[in-house]
């Protein structure tokens, strides 16, 4: 992927000084190309408080909304101890398999907090062509992915448990695995889970033809 980084002046500086600093080369946007093992998807902040009528409402977000982080134009601010940066990301190559890590856990000096937001996603036909830079789109004849594994975390951060949804390629059936227990699961139930890590497989020519048939 391409990573574009722009250093930001300190927010407490006077406007004139900020404008002057932005003219310096240190504050100009820079681009580097990097390989990646997985893509981290950021969830919107969950509501801190709920009234009595909203106690049972769980926040939801579409998968494509959090994938927008990698469209090449969405900017996100990153803060370090001393400096702040704006970053944006753009994919330049799509691998045979993609791993999504949905950032549910936030750790500070005192505790680990979990974001319960549900990600709404289809389990097939996720096309990532629009997240590629324009000049490399033509080099990718296959940009559609199907979900093949979904790792879920249930419960509180310190007391919860993990389970895995796995697609059996030969039969097209989904199974839920937890420890040594294996049970059938309907595909529509997978999309209701608190997905944490997902593995997606790119469709190739023969698989595309089979889907069409």
């Amino acid at each position: 992927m391409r990573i574009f980084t722009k250093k930001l002046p300190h927010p407490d500086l006077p406007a004139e000084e900020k404008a002057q600093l932005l003219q310096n080369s240190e504050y100009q946007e820079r681009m580097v190309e990097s390989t990646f093992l997985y893509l981290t998807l950021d969830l919107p902040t969950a509501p801190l408080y709920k009234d009595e009528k909203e106690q049972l409402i769980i926040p939801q977000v579409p998968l494509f909304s959090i994938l927008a982080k990698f469209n090449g134009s969405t900017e996100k601010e990153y803060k370090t101890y001393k400096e702040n940066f704006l970053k944006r990301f753009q994919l330049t190559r799509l691998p045979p398999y993609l791993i999504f890590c949905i950032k549910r856990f936030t750790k500070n000096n005192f505790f680990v907090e979990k974001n319960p937001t549900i990600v709404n996603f289809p389990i097939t036909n996720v096309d990532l062509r629009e997240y590629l830079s324009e000049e490399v789109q033509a080099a990718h004849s296959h940009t559609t992915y199907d979900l093949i594994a979904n790792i879920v975390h249930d419960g509180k951060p310190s007391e919860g448990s993990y389970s895995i949804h796995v697609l059996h390629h030969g039969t097209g059936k989904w199974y839920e695995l937890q420890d040594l227990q294996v049970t059938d699961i309907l595909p529509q139930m997978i999309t209701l889970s608190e997905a944490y890590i997902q593995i997606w497989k790119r469709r190739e020519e023969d698989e595309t033809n089979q889907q069409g048939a």
Side-chain angles (χ1 to χ4, degrees), residues 3 7 15 28 30 44 62-64 106 114 137 142 156 163:
I3 304 174
K7 184 178 177 180
Q28 302 306 305
R30 300 181 181 183
L63 174 65
F64 291 102
T106 304
K114 179 185 175 185
Q137 284 186 5
H142 305 296
K156 298 179 180 180
S163 58

Side-chain angles (χ1 to χ4, degrees), residues 1 5 13 15 47 55 79 90 99 107 114 123 153 180 183:
M1 69 172 71
T5 305
L13 291 175
Q55 282 183 352
K79 298 181 180 181
Q90 186 170 45
I99 302 174
K107 187 176 182 180
K114 179 185 175 185
I123 62 173
H153 182 273
L180 298 178
T183 56

Side-chain angles (χ1 to χ4, degrees), residues 57-133:
I57 295 177
I58 300 176
Q60 299 185 31
V61 62
L63 174 65
F64 291 102
S65 293
I66 55 177
L67 271 174
K69 173 182 178 180
F70 300 98
N71 64 11
S73 58
T74 299
E75 293 182 320
K76 183 183 178 183
E77 186 172 353
Y78 290 82
K79 298 181 180 181
T80 65
Y81 179 69
K82 293 183 179 180
E83 299 173 318
N84 296 351
F85 297 90
L86 272 183
K87 290 190 176 185
R88 55 190 180 94
F89 307 87
Q90 186 170 45
L91 301 179
T92 59
R93 186 176 177 183
L94 293 175
Y97 294 88
L98 268 177
I99 302 174
F100 293 164
C101 179
I102 299 171
K103 193 175 180 181
R104 292 201 173 275
F105 301 99
T106 304
K107 187 176 182 180
N108 58 32
N109 293 331
F110 303 101
F111 57 87
V112 177
E113 187 177 11
K114 179 185 175 185
N115 189 325
T117 300
I118 297 296
V119 178
N120 296 319
F121 58 91
I123 62 173
T124 59
N125 292 316
V126 172
D127 193 351
L128 300 182
R129 179 172 296 275
E130 66 180 274
Y131 301 98
L132 294 169
S133 57

Side-chain angles (χ1 to χ4, degrees), residues 118-188:
I118 297 296
V119 178
N120 296 319
F121 58 91
I123 62 173
T124 59
N125 292 316
V126 172
D127 193 351
L128 300 182
R129 179 172 296 275
E130 66 180 274
Y131 301 98
L132 294 169
S133 57
E134 292 184 5
E135 65 270 24
V136 301
Q137 284 186 5
H140 287 73
S141 55
H142 305 296
T143 58
T144 301
Y145 285 78
D146 298 324
L147 186 69
I148 60 171
N150 184 55
I151 301 176
V152 177
H153 182 273
D154 289 312
K156 298 179 180 180
S158 57
E159 305 171 3
S161 61
Y162 291 92
S163 58
I164 305 174
H165 303 138
V166 178
L167 174 67
H168 187 274
H169 186 70
T171 61
K173 292 184 177 180
W174 282 90
Y175 295 91
E176 182 176 69
L177 289 70
Q178 189 169 27
D179 296 328
L180 298 178
Q181 185 175 2
V182 180
T183 56
D184 297 355
I185 186 171
L186 296 173
Q188 55 265 37

